[in-house]
Amino acid sequence: MSDAAGAPFERRVVVAADAAALTVAAAGHLRRGIFDAIAARGACWIALAGGRTPRAVYERLADPGTPAIDWTRVHVVFGDERVVPPDHADSNYGMARAALFDRVPLPPSQIHRIAGERGDPAAAADAYAADLARAFAVASGRWPVLDIVLLGIGSDGHTASLFPHTPALDVVDRLAVAAVAPSAPASRVSLTYPVLNAARAVVILASGADKAGAVARAFDDTVPVADCPVRGVRPAAGSLTWHLDAAAAAKLADAQAR
Ligand code: 6PG
């Protein structure tokens, strides 16, 4: 796999038998990644994904496991958010709070959520970007290096809230951007490609037959990024690991053969 500049980067594909096995494999991968980041640098900065797929992974991460995670050293940001209040059923923060934050000793001050309740996506994106810049003490034009970025993929090939043929795909001078989804809740905020691609490790989850086409396109080098935005996730110096179940991987062999 090569990035936009053509430089190769590490890409792994892990295929589990079914959704339950995918949850176990992905949670184990994240647990090890969080543990290793803390061991190496004293803290782990992780961007969480929204949607349905990651919920079971967060619930498993919240369970005791080996290696044990020192949650007091974990800092959480979000890959994207819907512009809704945090207690709204569509809130990615709300989902992660129920599945994870309410069950582990993660200090609330170490959760950097996107203020969807502001109702103004551009203002929420700017506030989130300023929060991240402060947290990482980065000057403008430099990118925070997250230890782990967890992403999903939509059946249209979107990831985070970077949707096909939308202006957000072209924003590469900011940490976060207002975005528009083709389906409700339409108003979103998303991390931009430079932040996603600065990460030390990107993990993409996909489960179910409805994702098989998008996963195949994600691996097809003839497909433009605008048509399948997850293809724009090319960690410049990091690793990219896909965790799929068999249903989501069903069309992958053909694409890889091209
Ligand atoms: C969101 C997510 C989005 C998600 C995909 C897959 O806010 O919806 O960040 O990018 O990862 O849409 O969602 P599912 O896991 O629900 O299929």
Side-chain angles (χ1 to χ4, degrees):
M1 185 77 175
S2 61
D3 67 8
F9 66 90
E10 177 197 349
R11 179 177 71 183
R12 287 177 59 225
V13 179
V14 180
V15 181
D18 54 28
L22 167 61
T23 295
V24 172
H29 184 145
L30 293 174
R31 177 182 294 278
R32 167 57 62 190
I34 293 167
F35 180 87
D36 289 350
I38 293 169
R41 288 173 292 279
C44 176
W45 282 80
I46 181 171
L48 297 183
R52 294 178 307 276
T53 306
R55 184 177 192 122
V57 175
Y58 300 159
E59 289 168 346
R60 186 166 178 92
L61 273 179
D63 292 340
T66 305
I69 294 173
D70 178 355
W71 289 100
T72 66
R73 293 178 176 266
V74 176
H75 300 256
V76 170
V77 306
F78 286 83
D80 72 326
E81 184 56 280
R82 293 82 176 278
V83 180
V84 296
D87 57 357
H88 190 282
D90 287 337
S91 168
N92 288 339
Y93 164 81
M95 180 273 282
R97 183 181 59 197
L100 179 60
F101 305 155
D102 286 350
R103 300 177 56 211
V104 297
L106 177 58
S109 63
Q110 292 175 198
I111 301 171
H112 300 262
R113 70 178 186 86
I114 301 167
E117 66 277 17
R118 293 179 76 122
D120 173 350
D126 291 346
Y128 184 49
D131 179 22
L132 295 183
R134 266 192 312 275
F136 280 86
V138 298
S140 65
R142 288 184 53 224
W143 312 108
V145 178
L146 295 163
D147 293 296
I148 302 170
V149 169
L150 179 66
L151 296 170
I153 178 176
S155 55
D156 62 355
H158 81 262
T159 194
S161 282
L162 300 172
F163 289 89
H165 301 286
T166 57
L169 301 185
D170 299 320
V171 175
V172 293
D173 61 348
R174 276 174 278 159
L175 304 185
V177 64
V180 179
S183 56
S187 188
R188 310 279 187 105
V189 172
S190 183
L191 288 180
T192 56
Y193 279 131
V195 180
L196 303 181
N197 289 329
R200 291 188 175 92
V202 177
V203 178
I204 304 178
L205 301 178
S207 174
D210 64 316
K211 302 294 176 72
V215 168
R217 287 193 306 278
F219 282 74
D220 182 344
D221 288 340
T222 67
V223 174
V225 168
D227 290 352
C228 184
V230 73
R231 285 185 50 72
V233 177
R234 304 169 175 140
S239 64
L240 173 57
T241 305
W242 286 79
H243 275 281
L244 310 171
D245 60 17
K251 298 177 181 177
L252 189 50
D254 303 343
Q256 286 185 307
R258 265 197 282 279

